[in-house]
Amino acid sequence: MTAVTPITTGRRPPAAVSRSRRGRTGWIFVGPFMAVFALVFLAPIAYSLYLSFFRDQLVGGTSFVGLDNFQRAFEDEQFWAAVGRILLFLVVQVPVMLGLALLVALALDSGRLYGKSFFRIAIFLPYAVPAVVATLMWGFIYGTRFGLVGNINDAFGVSLPDPLSPSLVLASIGNIVTWEFIGYNMLIFYSALRVVPKSLYEAAEIDGAGEWRVITAVKIPAIRGALVIATIFSVIGSFQLFNEPSILQSLAPNAITTYFTPNLYTFTLSFSGRQQNYAATVSLVMGVVTMIIAYAVQLRGMRKEA
Amino acid sequence: MSAPSFTADQTPRRTTHRASAPRRAVRRQHSVARPRRSTVLTILMGLTAVYALMPLAWLVINATKTQKGLLDSFGLWFSGDFALWDNISQTLTYDDGIFVRWFLNTLLYVVVGAGGATFLAVLGGYGLAKFDFAGKRAVFATVIGAVAVPATALAVPTFLMFSKMGLTNTPWAVIIPSLISPFGLYLMWVFAAEAIPTELLEAARVDGSGELRTFFQVALPLLTPGIVTVLLFTMVQTWNNYFLPLIMIKDPDWYPLTLGLNAWNQQASTAGGQPVFNLVITGSLLTIVPLIAAFLLLQRYWQSGLAAGSVKG
């Protein structure tokens, strides 16, 4: 974190006194955030750790079971099937989405477009649409009832594959998520590109670099930080996949099971299955898996930078 | 780099008059820095824009159809009757005007939740950027670590905790977790470090201004683009929130729009339920209009604020 500039106290002689006073003042500003943060982040994590060591049974009530819940999670085929599905989703959807977002951002930044500000806002707009509305819209569009797929089939006498069939539903969800977040990621990349010093481009040009070479050798390395951040956020977002499959479930009950994604599974466990201790355990395991992968992405991003 | 230069992107229009004459005289060649416009690239971008806008066009078109029209007509073109106004009035009055209630709930969650989140993020970000204090590294590590914890992994334990505290099924259950935006804190931190010269704060202190007064009168005005950016992004998050209210709120009177719309959609698949697809579609349109309007109106602020946030990203 290079953004933090240490306070220069050199001009004022009693530096030690003023530093300790400033120390308290710093907490006045950060304290409110940290207090709420402790309530909604730290306390639930601690509480779920506590819950994960117990089991609630109809007969016998709550009892301490040590690591039994964790052992169950590691042997739970439904849970790992859901994790596997998310990993498949992740390795396809995230690169497609970020790749497109990067291309769009580079195109905007190149200055070669007509109507640049129109494109910038048009491609960003889906981000302002709630996931619920996005899924309802795409659900209707996919559907055969009054969807475009049904329309095209009727109009041209063809039979397009059903986007909501078990084999295609994951790709259909990937399309919704891509649609929702291309614009957001595009904007992150574009904003990062805007602040790359223009002198770098001119220097590269004098060295005889063509436009493509400037992109690969100057622009992309210059925004590596933004790329890493966007990748981490997308990975975390994928692991949290819930809204889209949960809403599509009513349209495609056979294709989307109650354990389609890890989050759908914890939701089912705690609210339909009344297995809240086990749900807390699964949440924790998911949190750890997510952090490991996010950390790995970060390390990889940093290593390239070196 | 000082804060005003981040808005450079928006200013050329104002400066062209001054700059265009000498530029035309020099007639430099096209280069990476001064490129030629490309029709092919514009067409390719056009395809991406069609992909982005097609579902929205679908929504607008289909909000003008009656329930029967939805089934009979082609999805991307209008049907015979124009029923938009009728649909809107039906949406607003159906089931004793529950949609209006959901709208007001959403507004409450957004004003208190996103407003509060922005305020906490601005205070915290400023504190982290401009003060040296014991525990600062720990704050940084905890908050960054927490970003990696999936919010949904927290949801179940938060629900259980809140239900013990008697908060579930009240607006507080949605508002309190919305008050924390780690991304907002990070953005404000980076933004404050860039936009507020430390010398200015020193000067205010020398003049005898208290820390809080310095914050409100000196720092806050400089932070405006960052604040607008954080506010818009926390607003979107709260306005679009679905999972949290889904588990916290059972009483339809406290639903936000997202939960309400999904409930209407599911009516069609429940036994004895009356399908109201035209209301789902019109309601969806009414749900996204305020946010899209906010983004369009505040464009120049949030885009410049975001550019500052991503410098160190």
Side-chain angles (χ1 to χ4, degrees):
Chain A
M1 172 49 60
T2 50
V4 191
T5 38
I7 295 178
T8 46
T9 46
R11 237 179 283 164
R12 287 146 57 91
V17 176
S18 101
R19 179 163 294 182
S20 81
R21 188 179 60 82
R22 297 269 177 76
R24 282 195 302 278
T25 324
W27 272 109
I28 293 178
F29 289 105
V30 183
F33 181 94
M34 289 311 286
V36 186
F37 180 79
L39 178 68
V40 300
F41 266 84
L42 304 182
I45 294 174
Y47 189 52
S48 62
L49 198 60
Y50 168 81
L51 284 174
S52 64
F53 292 119
F54 292 87
R55 184 181 298 150
D56 192 12
Q57 281 161 320
L58 285 176
V59 184
T62 306
S63 55
F64 181 81
V65 293
L67 294 174
D68 278 13
N69 284 323
F70 287 93
Q71 195 185 350
R72 181 177 162 199
F74 283 109
E75 291 165 0
D76 187 337
E77 284 175 18
Q78 292 192 332
F79 172 58
W80 292 107
V83 173
R85 199 171 287 118
I86 283 296
L87 286 173
L88 173 66
F89 181 86
L90 194 87
V91 298
V92 179
Q93 190 266 335
V94 172
V96 167
M97 173 181 70
L98 294 183
L100 275 171
L102 181 62
L103 287 178
V104 173
L106 286 168
L108 283 176
D109 186 62
S110 72
R112 295 171 65 92
L113 289 174
Y114 297 95
K116 177 173 126 180
S117 51
F118 164 76
F119 287 121
R120 191 172 52 194
I121 198 71
I123 295 169
F124 176 74
L125 275 189
Y127 175 71
V129 176
V132 173
V133 172
T135 313
L136 290 174
M137 280 182 334
W138 278 102
F140 285 137
I141 292 173
Y142 289 151
T144 43
R145 247 185 321 216
F146 38 88
L148 284 181
V149 175
N151 289 156
I152 293 171
N153 284 348
D154 292 345
F156 300 102
V158 291
S159 57
L160 293 175
D162 176 8
L164 295 172
S165 66
S167 57
L168 283 182
V169 79
L170 194 62
S172 302
I173 293 172
N175 174 53
I176 301 178
V177 177
T178 306
W179 181 81
E180 288 175 298
F181 289 102
I182 279 190
Y184 174 75
N185 289 299
M186 171 266 288
L187 211 69
I188 302 269
F189 298 154
Y190 175 70
S191 310
L193 282 169
R194 296 303 303 170
V195 294
V196 177
K198 297 283 170 286
S199 56
L200 283 180
Y201 306 154
E202 279 153 21
E205 208 174 24
I206 292 166
D207 289 347
E211 192 166 358
W212 188 248
R213 188 91 182 97
V214 171
I215 286 174
T216 54
V218 181
K219 291 191 177 185
I220 291 180
I223 62 163
R224 170 156 292 134
L227 287 168
V228 172
I229 290 271
T231 311
I232 292 175
F233 278 139
S234 305
V235 167
I236 295 170
S238 304
F239 272 108
Q240 300 194 25
L241 197 62
F242 176 85
N243 297 354
E244 293 82 2
S246 146
I247 292 160
L248 281 182
Q249 214 172 19
S250 63
L251 286 173
N254 298 325
I256 298 175
T257 54
T258 52
Y259 56 93
F260 193 76
T261 72
N263 270 329
L264 216 50
Y265 186 45
T266 30
F267 180 76
T268 313
L269 281 174
S270 43
F271 295 99
S272 314
R274 305 208 158 274
Q275 301 190 58
Q276 291 168 335
N277 295 78
Y278 184 52
T281 314
V282 171
S283 297
L284 274 180
V285 175
M286 267 317 289
V288 172
V289 171
T290 311
M291 280 198 284
I292 290 172
I293 293 186
Y295 190 62
V297 170
Q298 195 178 6
L299 276 187
R300 209 178 137 68
M302 297 306 170
R303 198 189 58 194
K304 273 188 184 167
E305 202 162 13
Chain B
M1 190 172 288
S2 64
S5 65
F6 295 122
T7 54
D9 187 28
Q10 272 80 31
T11 44
R13 216 168 279 141
R14 254 177 275 149
T15 54
T16 26
H17 297 296
R18 195 158 38 85
S20 60
R23 265 186 207 167
R24 211 176 290 138
V26 174
R27 264 189 128 33
R28 277 207 274 169
Q29 270 190 318
H30 291 291
S31 67
V32 179
R34 314 179 43 73
R36 189 201 308 268
R37 299 270 159 108
S38 158
T39 312
V40 177
L41 198 62
T42 306
I43 290 172
L44 286 176
M45 282 292 278
L47 291 177
T48 320
V50 167
Y51 172 62
L53 295 180
M54 187 272 284
L56 297 174
W58 183 92
L59 191 69
V60 174
I61 290 168
N62 287 279
T64 68
K65 295 177 185 175
T66 59
Q67 180 118 301
K68 189 174 166 298
L70 281 173
L71 296 164
D72 295 344
S73 61
F74 183 69
L76 275 178
W77 199 243
F78 298 91
S79 71
D81 338 303
F82 186 83
L84 178 63
W85 311 124
D86 190 42
N87 278 338
I88 291 177
S89 78
Q90 263 193 63
T91 306
L92 298 180
T93 53
Y94 183 76
D95 200 5
D96 294 329
I98 189 88
F99 188 86
V100 177
R101 167 91 200 208
W102 293 336
F103 195 93
L104 294 174
N105 290 343
T106 307
L107 220 53
L108 171 75
Y109 301 151
V110 167
V111 169
V112 185
T118 308
F119 183 66
L120 291 179
V122 172
L123 271 183
Y126 171 76
L128 287 167
K130 291 296 167 191
F131 294 91
D132 219 1
F133 56 91
K136 187 155 124 173
R137 281 172 178 278
V139 168
F140 175 68
T142 330
V143 174
I144 293 298
V147 177
V149 180
T152 30
L154 291 173
V156 169
T158 311
F159 166 78
L160 296 173
M161 229 175 70
F162 278 20
S163 99
K164 283 231 166 91
M165 297 158 81
L167 290 174
T168 45
N169 226 356
T170 71
W172 292 112
V174 177
I175 290 171
I176 294 173
S178 309
L179 288 175
I180 290 302
S181 163
F183 174 69
L185 182 81
Y186 172 77
L187 199 80
M188 279 321 301
W189 181 354
V190 179
F191 191 87
E194 293 278 338
I196 304 174
T198 306
E199 294 78 16
L200 201 61
L201 299 180
E202 293 286 344
R205 284 182 193 122
V206 171
D207 288 348
S209 161
E211 291 298 341
L212 284 178
R213 193 173 146 209
T214 309
F215 170 72
F216 282 106
Q217 295 192 347
V218 179
L220 220 48
L222 293 171
L223 292 174
T224 308
I227 295 173
V228 173
T229 313
V230 172
L231 189 64
L232 271 169
F233 283 84
T234 51
M235 237 178 80
V236 172
Q237 246 162 33
T238 324
W239 190 278
N240 296 355
N241 205 345
Y242 172 73
F243 188 69
L244 187 70
L246 176 70
I247 61 173
M248 295 291 185
I249 308 272
K250 291 282 160 283
D251 179 359
D253 277 350
W254 283 115
Y255 277 5
L257 286 166
T258 48
L259 270 187
L261 285 174
N262 194 43
W264 276 0
N265 185 47
Q266 283 178 338
Q267 272 192 24
S269 43
T270 20
Q274 174 199 16
V276 284
F277 292 123
N278 56 331
L279 300 192
V280 175
I281 291 170
T282 312
S284 298
L285 183 64
L286 295 179
T287 301
I288 65 175
V289 165
L291 273 187
I292 289 188
F295 269 107
L296 293 177
L297 287 175
L298 296 170
Q299 258 195 85
R300 61 168 55 222
Y301 296 101
W302 60 262
Q303 288 188 357
S304 59
L306 201 67
S310 58
V311 184
K312 309 284 172 167

